[in-house]
Amino acid sequence: MACQPIWTRFCATAKKHNLIIVEDACQGHGATYKGTRTGNLGDAAAFSFYPTKNLGACGDAGMVTTNDEKVAEAVRALRNCGQRVKNVHELPPFNHRMDSMQAAILRVKLPHLDDWLESRRSLAGLYNQLLADTPVVTPVEPQGYRHIYHLYVIRAQDRDGLQAMLKENGIGTAIHYPIPVHQQPFYMKNGQGQGPYPVAEKICSEILSLPMYPGTDRRTS
Ligand SMILES: *Cc1c(COP(=O)(O)O)cnc(C)c1O
C-alpha cells in the first residue's frame, strides 16, 4: 500500500479518536498542503512572528488562527488576562497581548511575504541543484506540499567537519536544533528522558542549516 502523506494520516487518526488538531505553524507562514495554507489545516494553529521567522516583528509577537468561534473567544480571553468582559477574570490571567507597534510593523511587512517566500524557494532550488551530486542529504518537498524554507537543513555524516570547513570559508551555518526534546534537561529531570530515540539522536548529529534568507543569491566571482 502506498504511504499516505503524513497530514492525511494525522487527520484520519484525529477523526477516528475524536481529537482536535492544533498546528504548530510557528515557522510555516505561507507553506501549503494540497493548496491549503498552514493555519487552516487543523482546528487551530499558532504562528510565531519572532524576528527571525519568515514573517518577523521587531520583538516578540504571535497569532492564533481558527475557524472555531469558541476557540477564538477563549484565545481572545486568554491573551487578555483571562477576561471575556472587562475586569471579570474567568480564565487564567496571562498577558499575551501583541503590542500595537509590533502589529503595525507586521502589517507593513505582510504584503511582501509571498515575494520573500519565492526568493527563499528559488535559493533552495539552487542549493538542491548544486548539492545534487554530493553525499549530503537535502530537504525534500513531497508532491502536494509547498515548502517555504524557513530553514534549509541538510544532513551530513561528518556534520562538524563540514561546518568547520564552511566557517573557514566565511560561510556561517547553525544547528536547528542540537539537543532532541527528550534529552533536554527539563524532561530528563522529570524522568521523561528515558529510553533511546535513536532516529532523533542520529538526525541531531547530522543536521546543518545553510544560509537562507530572502535576497541571498549566487555569487559569481
Ligand atoms: C519559533 C517557533 C516556536 C516558538 O515561537 P515563539 O514566538 O518564540 O514563542 C514554536 N514552534 C516552532 C516550530 C517554532 O519555529
Side-chain angles (χ1 to χ4, degrees):
M1 193 179 84
C3 192
Q4 283 179 309
I6 192 145
W7 191 260
T8 309
R9 281 153 62 197
F10 271 139
C11 292
T13 307
K15 203 168 174 197
K16 191 167 139 200
H17 299 282
N18 204 20
L19 300 170
I20 64 161
I21 293 184
V22 179
E23 285 176 74
D24 181 347
C26 282
Q27 53 179 256
H29 323 69
T32 62
Y33 172 57
K34 291 187 177 166
T36 303
R37 286 189 177 229
T38 52
N40 198 22
L41 292 167
D43 298 283
F47 285 92
S48 171
F49 302 128
Y50 183 76
T52 61
K53 302 292 164 135
N54 287 8
L55 179 61
C58 281
D60 274 307
M63 178 173 77
V64 171
T65 56
T66 182
N67 277 329
D68 184 324
E69 196 48 53
K70 273 204 210 129
V71 174
E73 197 218 9
V75 170
R76 280 190 200 106
L78 282 167
R79 74 164 178 192
N80 192 18
C81 302
Q83 308 170 88
R84 287 198 172 93
V85 175
K86 196 167 169 60
N87 297 324
V88 182
H89 303 270
E90 284 178 59
L91 294 166
F94 301 117
N95 175 357
H96 291 306
R97 293 186 298 262
M98 189 198 297
D99 80 69
S100 311
M101 283 302 292
Q102 302 305 340
I105 290 162
L106 288 163
R107 281 186 71 170
V108 173
K109 293 177 84 174
L110 182 60
H112 301 282
L113 179 62
D114 280 335
D115 284 345
W116 291 335
L117 299 184
E118 279 314 316
S119 177
R120 286 174 184 271
R121 288 177 55 76
S122 120
L123 178 59
L126 183 58
Y127 274 142
N128 288 345
Q129 196 187 317
L130 296 172
L131 295 171
D133 298 323
T134 71
V136 305
V137 179
T138 55
V140 287
E141 184 180 55
Q143 186 81 28
Y145 291 77
R146 178 178 188 247
H147 199 320
I148 42 74
Y149 300 98
H150 169 57
L151 301 169
Y152 184 92
V153 182
I154 58 165
R155 285 169 56 190
Q157 294 278 317
D158 179 19
R159 188 266 316 277
D160 294 341
L162 177 61
Q163 186 174 35
M165 186 271 276
L166 289 171
K167 191 176 174 194
E168 273 165 32
N169 287 277
I171 298 168
T173 57
I175 298 166
H176 300 93
Y177 292 89
I179 306 174
V181 174
H182 67 284
Q183 291 180 332
Q184 290 293 345
F186 177 79
Y187 295 112
M188 301 284 276
K189 193 173 65 200
N190 286 288
Q192 292 163 25
Q194 310 310 317
Y197 293 92
V199 176
E201 288 161 25
K202 180 166 188 288
I203 288 175
C204 272
S205 72
E206 293 179 352
I207 49 175
L208 190 65
S209 305
L210 301 185
M212 169 55 75
Y213 44 87
T216 313
D217 218 337
R218 184 171 196 156
R219 185 157 51 178
T220 46
S221 61

